[in-house]
Coordinates of all heavy atoms in Angstrom, one line a residue:
Chain P
G1170 N 11.7 4.6 -50.0 CA 10.4 5.2 -50.4 C 9.2 4.6 -49.5 O 8.4 5.4 -49.1
V1171 N 9.3 3.3 -49.2 CA 8.2 2.8 -48.4 C 8.2 3.4 -47.0 O 7.2 3.8 -46.5 CB 8.5 1.2 -48.2 CG1 7.7 0.6 -47.1 CG2 8.1 0.5 -49.5
G1172 N 9.5 3.6 -46.5 CA 9.6 4.2 -45.2 C 9.1 5.7 -45.2 O 8.5 6.2 -44.2
A1173 N 9.3 6.4 -46.3 CA 9.0 7.8 -46.4 C 7.5 8.0 -46.5 O 7.0 9.1 -46.4 CB 9.7 8.4 -47.6
M1174 N 6.7 6.9 -46.8 CA 5.3 7.1 -47.0 C 4.6 6.8 -45.7 O 4.6 5.7 -45.2 CB 4.8 6.1 -48.1 CG 5.0 6.6 -49.5 SD 4.1 5.6 -50.7 CE 5.4 4.5 -51.1
P1175 N 4.0 7.8 -45.1 CA 3.3 7.6 -43.8 C 2.2 6.5 -43.9 O 1.5 6.5 -44.9 CB 2.7 8.9 -43.4 CG 3.5 9.9 -44.2 CD 3.9 9.2 -45.5
G1176 N 2.2 5.6 -43.0 CA 1.2 4.5 -43.0 C 1.8 3.2 -43.5 O 1.2 2.2 -43.3
M1177 N 2.9 3.3 -44.3 CA 3.5 2.1 -44.7 C 4.6 1.7 -43.7 O 5.0 2.5 -42.9 CB 4.2 2.3 -46.1 CG 3.3 2.6 -47.2 SD 2.4 1.2 -47.8 CE 3.7 0.5 -48.9
S1178 N 5.0 0.4 -43.7 CA 6.0 0.0 -42.8 C 7.0 -0.9 -43.5 O 6.7 -1.3 -44.6 CB 5.4 -0.7 -41.6 OG 4.9 -1.9 -42.0
A1179 N 8.1 -1.1 -42.8 CA 9.1 -2.0 -43.4 C 8.5 -3.4 -43.7 O 8.7 -3.9 -44.8 CB 10.3 -2.1 -42.5
A1180 N 7.7 -3.8 -42.8 CA 7.1 -5.2 -42.9 C 6.1 -5.2 -44.1 O 6.2 -6.2 -44.9 CB 6.3 -5.5 -41.7
T1181 N 5.4 -4.1 -44.4 CA 4.5 -4.1 -45.6 C 5.3 -4.2 -46.8 O 5.0 -5.0 -47.7 CB 3.6 -2.8 -45.6 OG1 3.1 -2.6 -44.3 CG2 2.6 -2.8 -46.7
G1182 N 6.4 -3.4 -46.9 CA 7.2 -3.5 -48.1 C 7.9 -4.8 -48.3 O 7.9 -5.3 -49.4
I1183 N 8.4 -5.4 -47.2 CA 9.1 -6.7 -47.4 C 8.1 -7.8 -47.8 O 8.3 -8.6 -48.7 CB 9.8 -7.1 -46.1 CG1 10.9 -6.0 -45.7 CG2 10.6 -8.4 -46.3 CD1 11.5 -6.3 -44.3
A1184 N 6.9 -7.7 -47.2 CA 5.9 -8.7 -47.5 C 5.5 -8.6 -49.0 O 5.3 -9.7 -49.6 CB 4.6 -8.5 -46.6
L1185 N 5.4 -7.4 -49.5 CA 5.0 -7.3 -50.9 C 6.0 -7.8 -51.9 O 5.8 -8.3 -53.0 CB 4.7 -5.8 -51.2 CG 3.3 -5.3 -50.8 CD1 3.2 -3.8 -51.0 CD2 2.2 -6.0 -51.5
M1186 N 7.3 -7.7 -51.4 CA 8.4 -8.1 -52.3 C 8.8 -9.6 -52.1 O 9.6 -10.1 -52.9 CB 9.6 -7.2 -52.0 CG 9.5 -5.8 -52.6 SD 9.4 -5.9 -54.4 CE 8.1 -4.8 -54.7
L1187 N 8.2 -10.2 -51.1 CA 8.6 -11.6 -50.8 C 8.4 -12.5 -52.0 O 9.2 -13.4 -52.3 CB 7.8 -12.1 -49.6 CG 8.5 -13.1 -48.7 CD1 9.9 -12.7 -48.3 CD2 7.7 -13.4 -47.5
P1188 N 7.2 -12.4 -52.7 CA 7.0 -13.3 -53.8 C 8.0 -13.1 -54.9 O 8.4 -14.1 -55.6 CB 5.6 -13.0 -54.3 CG 4.9 -12.2 -53.2 CD 6.0 -11.6 -52.4
L1189 N 8.4 -11.8 -55.1 CA 9.4 -11.5 -56.1 C 10.8 -12.2 -55.8 O 11.5 -12.8 -56.6 CB 9.6 -10.0 -56.3 CG 10.7 -9.5 -57.2 CD1 10.5 -10.0 -58.6 CD2 10.8 -8.0 -57.2
S1190 N 11.1 -12.2 -54.5 CA 12.4 -12.8 -54.0 C 12.4 -14.3 -54.3 O 13.5 -14.8 -54.5 CB 12.6 -12.5 -52.6 OG 11.8 -13.4 -51.8
F1191 N 11.3 -14.9 -54.4 CA 11.2 -16.3 -54.7 C 11.8 -16.7 -56.1 O 12.3 -17.7 -56.3 CB 9.7 -16.7 -54.6 CG 9.4 -18.1 -54.8 CD1 9.9 -19.1 -54.0 CD2 8.6 -18.5 -55.9 CE1 9.6 -20.4 -54.2 CE2 8.3 -19.9 -56.1 CZ 8.8 -20.8 -55.3
F1192 N 11.7 -15.7 -57.0 CA 12.2 -15.9 -58.4 C 13.7 -15.6 -58.5 O 14.2 -15.7 -59.6 CB 11.3 -15.1 -59.4 CG 9.9 -15.6 -59.4 CD1 8.9 -15.0 -58.6 CD2 9.5 -16.6 -60.3 CE1 7.6 -15.4 -58.7 CE2 8.2 -17.1 -60.3 CZ 7.3 -16.5 -59.5
L1193 N 14.3 -15.1 -57.5 CA 15.7 -14.7 -57.6 C 16.6 -15.7 -56.9 O 16.1 -16.5 -56.1 CB 15.9 -13.3 -56.8 CG 15.0 -12.1 -57.3 CD1 15.3 -10.9 -56.4 CD2 15.4 -11.8 -58.8
D1194 N 17.9 -15.6 -57.2 CA 18.9 -16.5 -56.5 C 19.0 -16.0 -55.1 O 18.5 -14.9 -54.7 CB 20.2 -16.4 -57.2 CG 20.2 -17.1 -58.6 OD1 19.4 -18.0 -58.7 OD2 21.0 -16.8 -59.4
T1195 N 19.6 -16.9 -54.3 CA 19.6 -16.6 -52.8 C 20.2 -15.2 -52.5 O 19.6 -14.4 -51.8 CB 20.4 -17.7 -52.1 OG1 19.9 -18.9 -52.5 CG2 20.3 -17.5 -50.6
A1196 N 21.4 -14.9 -53.0 CA 22.0 -13.6 -52.6 C 21.2 -12.4 -53.1 O 21.0 -11.5 -52.3 CB 23.5 -13.6 -53.1
P1197 N 20.8 -12.3 -54.3 CA 20.0 -11.2 -54.8 C 18.7 -11.1 -54.0 O 18.3 -10.0 -53.7 CB 19.7 -11.5 -56.2 CG 20.8 -12.4 -56.7 CD 21.2 -13.2 -55.5
A1198 N 18.1 -12.2 -53.6 CA 16.8 -12.2 -52.9 C 17.1 -11.6 -51.5 O 16.3 -10.7 -51.1 CB 16.3 -13.6 -52.7
L1199 N 18.2 -12.0 -50.9 CA 18.5 -11.5 -49.5 C 18.9 -10.0 -49.7 O 18.5 -9.2 -48.8 CB 19.7 -12.2 -48.9 CG 19.3 -13.6 -48.4 CD1 20.6 -14.3 -47.9 CD2 18.3 -13.6 -47.3
G1200 N 19.6 -9.6 -50.8 CA 19.9 -8.2 -51.0 C 18.6 -7.4 -51.1 O 18.6 -6.3 -50.5
L1201 N 17.7 -7.9 -51.9 CA 16.4 -7.1 -52.0 C 15.7 -6.9 -50.7 O 15.3 -5.8 -50.3 CB 15.5 -7.9 -53.0 CG 14.1 -7.3 -53.2 CD1 14.1 -6.0 -54.0 CD2 13.2 -8.3 -54.0
L1202 N 15.6 -8.0 -49.9 CA 14.8 -8.0 -48.7 C 15.6 -7.1 -47.6 O 15.0 -6.3 -46.9 CB 14.5 -9.4 -48.2 CG 13.7 -10.3 -49.1 CD1 13.5 -11.6 -48.5 CD2 12.3 -9.6 -49.4
M1203 N 16.9 -7.4 -47.5 CA 17.6 -6.6 -46.5 C 17.7 -5.2 -46.8 O 17.7 -4.3 -46.0 CB 19.0 -7.2 -46.3 CG 19.2 -8.5 -45.5 SD 18.3 -8.5 -43.9 CE 18.9 -7.1 -43.0
G1204 N 17.8 -4.9 -48.2 CA 17.9 -3.5 -48.6 C 16.6 -2.8 -48.3 O 16.6 -1.7 -47.8
L1205 N 15.5 -3.5 -48.5 CA 14.2 -2.9 -48.2 C 14.1 -2.6 -46.7 O 13.6 -1.5 -46.3 CB 13.1 -3.9 -48.5 CG 12.2 -3.6 -49.7 CD1 11.6 -4.8 -50.3 CD2 11.1 -2.6 -49.4
Y1206 N 14.5 -3.6 -45.9 CA 14.4 -3.4 -44.4 C 15.3 -2.2 -44.0 O 14.8 -1.3 -43.3 CB 14.9 -4.7 -43.8 CG 14.8 -4.8 -42.3 CD1 13.9 -4.0 -41.6 CD2 15.5 -5.8 -41.6 CE1 13.8 -4.1 -40.2 CE2 15.3 -5.9 -40.2 CZ 14.5 -5.0 -39.5 OH 14.4 -5.1 -38.2
K1207 N 16.5 -2.2 -44.4 CA 17.4 -1.1 -44.0 C 16.9 0.2 -44.5 O 16.8 1.2 -43.7 CB 18.8 -1.3 -44.5 CG 19.6 -2.3 -43.7 CD 21.0 -2.6 -44.4 CE 21.8 -3.6 -43.6 NZ 22.4 -3.0 -42.4
G1208 N 16.5 0.3 -45.7 CA 16.0 1.5 -46.4 C 14.8 2.0 -45.7 O 14.7 3.2 -45.4
A1209 N 13.8 1.1 -45.4 CA 12.6 1.5 -44.8 C 12.8 2.1 -43.3 O 12.1 3.1 -43.0 CB 11.6 0.4 -44.8
V1210 N 13.7 1.4 -42.6 CA 13.9 1.9 -41.2 C 14.5 3.3 -41.2 O 14.1 4.2 -40.5 CB 14.8 0.9 -40.4 CG1 15.1 1.5 -39.0 CG2 14.1 -0.4 -40.3
Y1211 N 15.4 3.6 -42.2 CA 15.9 4.9 -42.3 C 14.8 5.9 -42.9 O 14.6 7.0 -42.4 CB 17.2 5.0 -43.2 CG 17.4 6.3 -43.8 CD1 17.6 7.5 -43.0 CD2 17.3 6.5 -45.2 CE1 17.7 8.7 -43.6 CE2 17.4 7.7 -45.8 CZ 17.6 8.8 -45.0 OH 17.7 10.1 -45.5
G1212 N 14.2 5.4 -43.9 CA 13.2 6.2 -44.7 C 12.1 6.8 -43.8 O 11.6 7.9 -44.1
G1213 N 11.8 6.1 -42.7 CA 10.7 6.6 -41.8 C 11.0 8.0 -41.3 O 10.1 8.8 -41.0
S1214 N 12.3 8.3 -41.2 CA 12.7 9.6 -40.6 C 12.3 10.8 -41.6 O 12.2 11.9 -41.2 CB 14.2 9.7 -40.3 OG 14.9 9.6 -41.5
I1215 N 12.2 10.5 -42.9 CA 12.0 11.5 -43.9 C 10.7 12.2 -43.6 O 10.6 13.4 -43.5 CB 12.1 11.0 -45.3 CG1 13.6 10.5 -45.5 CG2 11.8 12.1 -46.3 CD1 13.8 9.8 -46.9
A1216 N 9.6 11.4 -43.5 CA 8.3 12.0 -43.2 C 8.2 12.6 -41.8 O 7.5 13.6 -41.6 CB 7.2 10.9 -43.4
A1217 N 8.9 11.9 -40.9 CA 8.9 12.5 -39.5 C 9.5 13.9 -39.5 O 9.0 14.8 -38.8 CB 9.7 11.6 -38.6
I1218 N 10.6 14.1 -40.2 CA 11.2 15.4 -40.3 C 10.4 16.4 -41.1 O 10.3 17.6 -40.8 CB 12.7 15.2 -40.7 CG1 13.5 14.5 -39.7 CG2 13.3 16.6 -41.1 CD1 14.9 14.0 -40.2
T1219 N 9.9 15.9 -42.2 CA 9.2 16.8 -43.1 C 7.8 17.2 -42.6 O 7.4 18.4 -42.7 CB 9.0 16.2 -44.5 OG1 10.3 15.5 -44.9 CG2 8.7 17.2 -45.6
F1220 N 7.0 16.2 -42.2 CA 5.6 16.5 -41.9 C 5.3 16.3 -40.4 O 4.1 16.4 -40.0 CB 4.7 15.5 -42.6 CG 4.9 15.5 -44.1 CD1 5.3 14.4 -44.8 CD2 4.6 16.7 -44.9 CE1 5.4 14.4 -46.1 CE2 4.7 16.6 -46.2 CZ 5.1 15.5 -46.9
A1221 N 6.2 16.0 -39.6 CA 5.9 15.6 -38.2 C 5.0 14.3 -38.1 O 4.3 14.1 -37.2 CB 5.3 16.7 -37.4
T1222 N 5.0 13.5 -39.2 CA 4.3 12.3 -39.3 C 5.2 11.2 -39.5 O 5.8 11.1 -40.7 CB 3.2 12.3 -40.4 OG1 2.5 13.5 -40.3 CG2 2.3 11.1 -40.4
P1223 N 5.6 10.4 -38.5 CA 6.6 9.3 -38.8 C 6.2 8.4 -39.9 O 5.0 7.9 -39.9 CB 6.7 8.6 -37.5 CG 5.5 9.0 -36.7 CD 5.0 10.3 -37.2
G1224 N 7.0 8.1 -40.9 CA 6.7 7.2 -42.0 C 6.5 5.8 -41.5 O 5.7 5.0 -41.9
T1225 N 7.3 5.4 -40.4 CA 7.2 4.1 -39.8 C 7.1 4.4 -38.3 O 7.6 5.4 -37.8 CB 8.4 3.2 -40.1 OG1 9.6 3.9 -39.7 CG2 8.5 2.8 -41.6
P1226 N 6.5 3.4 -37.5 CA 6.4 3.7 -36.1 C 7.8 3.9 -35.4 O 7.9 4.7 -34.5 CB 5.8 2.4 -35.5 CG 5.1 1.7 -36.7 CD 5.9 2.2 -37.9
G1227 N 8.8 3.2 -36.0 CA 10.2 3.4 -35.4 C 10.7 4.8 -35.5 O 11.7 5.1 -34.8
A1228 N 10.2 5.6 -36.4 CA 10.7 7.0 -36.6 C 9.9 8.0 -35.7 O 10.2 9.2 -35.8 CB 10.6 7.3 -38.0
A1229 N 9.0 7.5 -34.9 CA 8.2 8.5 -34.1 C 9.0 9.4 -33.2 O 8.8 10.6 -33.1 CB 7.1 7.7 -33.3
A1230 N 10.1 8.8 -32.6 CA 10.9 9.6 -31.7 C 11.7 10.7 -32.4 O 12.1 11.7 -31.9 CB 11.9 8.7 -30.9
T1231 N 11.9 10.5 -33.7 CA 12.7 11.4 -34.6 C 11.8 12.7 -34.8 O 12.4 13.8 -35.0 CB 13.0 10.8 -35.9 OG1 13.6 9.5 -35.7 CG2 14.0 11.6 -36.7
T1232 N 10.5 12.6 -34.7 CA 9.6 13.7 -34.9 C 9.9 14.9 -34.0 O 9.9 16.0 -34.5 CB 8.2 13.2 -34.7 OG1 8.0 12.0 -35.4 CG2 7.2 14.2 -35.2
Y1233 N 10.2 14.6 -32.7 CA 10.3 15.7 -31.7 C 11.3 16.7 -32.2 O 11.0 17.9 -32.3 CB 10.7 15.1 -30.4 CG 9.7 14.1 -29.8 CD1 10.2 12.9 -29.4 CD2 8.4 14.4 -29.7 CE1 9.3 11.9 -28.9 CE2 7.5 13.5 -29.2 CZ 7.9 12.2 -28.8 OH 7.1 11.3 -28.3
D1234 N 12.5 16.3 -32.4 CA 13.6 17.3 -32.8 C 13.6 17.5 -34.3 O 13.9 18.6 -34.7 CB 14.9 16.8 -32.3 CG 15.0 17.0 -30.8 OD1 15.3 18.1 -30.3 OD2 14.8 16.0 -30.1
G1235 N 13.3 16.5 -35.1 CA 13.4 16.6 -36.5 C 12.5 17.7 -37.1 O 12.9 18.5 -37.9
Y1236 N 11.2 17.6 -36.6 CA 10.3 18.6 -37.2 C 10.6 20.0 -36.6 O 10.4 21.0 -37.3 CB 8.9 18.2 -36.8 CG 7.8 19.0 -37.6 CD1 7.8 19.1 -39.0 CD2 6.9 19.8 -36.9 CE1 6.8 19.9 -39.6 CE2 6.0 20.6 -37.5 CZ 5.9 20.6 -38.9 OH 5.0 21.4 -39.5
E1237 N 11.0 20.1 -35.4 CA 11.4 21.4 -34.8 C 12.5 22.0 -35.7 O 12.5 23.2 -36.0 CB 11.9 21.2 -33.4 CG 10.8 21.1 -32.3 CD 9.9 22.3 -32.3 OE1 10.4 23.5 -32.4 OE2 8.7 22.1 -32.2
L1238 N 13.5 21.2 -36.1 CA 14.6 21.7 -36.9 C 14.0 22.2 -38.3 O 14.5 23.2 -38.8 CB 15.6 20.6 -37.1 CG 16.6 20.3 -35.9 CD1 17.3 19.0 -36.1 CD2 17.6 21.4 -35.8
T1239 N 13.1 21.4 -38.8 CA 12.5 21.8 -40.1 C 11.8 23.2 -40.0 O 12.0 24.1 -40.8 CB 11.4 20.8 -40.6 OG1 12.1 19.5 -40.7 CG2 10.8 21.2 -41.9
K1240 N 11.1 23.4 -38.8 CA 10.4 24.7 -38.6 C 11.4 25.8 -38.5 O 11.2 26.9 -38.8 CB 9.5 24.6 -37.3 CG 8.3 23.8 -37.6 CD 7.2 24.1 -36.6 CE 7.5 23.5 -35.2 NZ 6.4 23.6 -34.3

Side-chain angles (χ1 to χ4, degrees):
Chain P
V1171 163
M1174 280 188 266
M1177 294 284 280
S1178 67
T1181 311
I1183 302 172
L1185 281 172
M1186 285 297 135
L1187 211 53
L1189 174 61
S1190 78
F1191 181 64
F1192 294 93
L1193 302 176
D1194 288 336
T1195 307
L1199 289 176
L1201 174 70
L1202 300 179
M1203 282 313 303
L1205 250 157
Y1206 185 18
K1207 280 176 181 281
V1210 176
Y1211 155 65
S1214 68
I1215 297 174
I1218 292 167
T1219 316
F1220 305 117
T1222 310
T1225 54
T1231 310
T1232 311
Y1233 303 127
D1234 286 278
Y1236 189 61
E1237 278 301 317
L1238 283 163
T1239 302
K1240 285 201 290 189

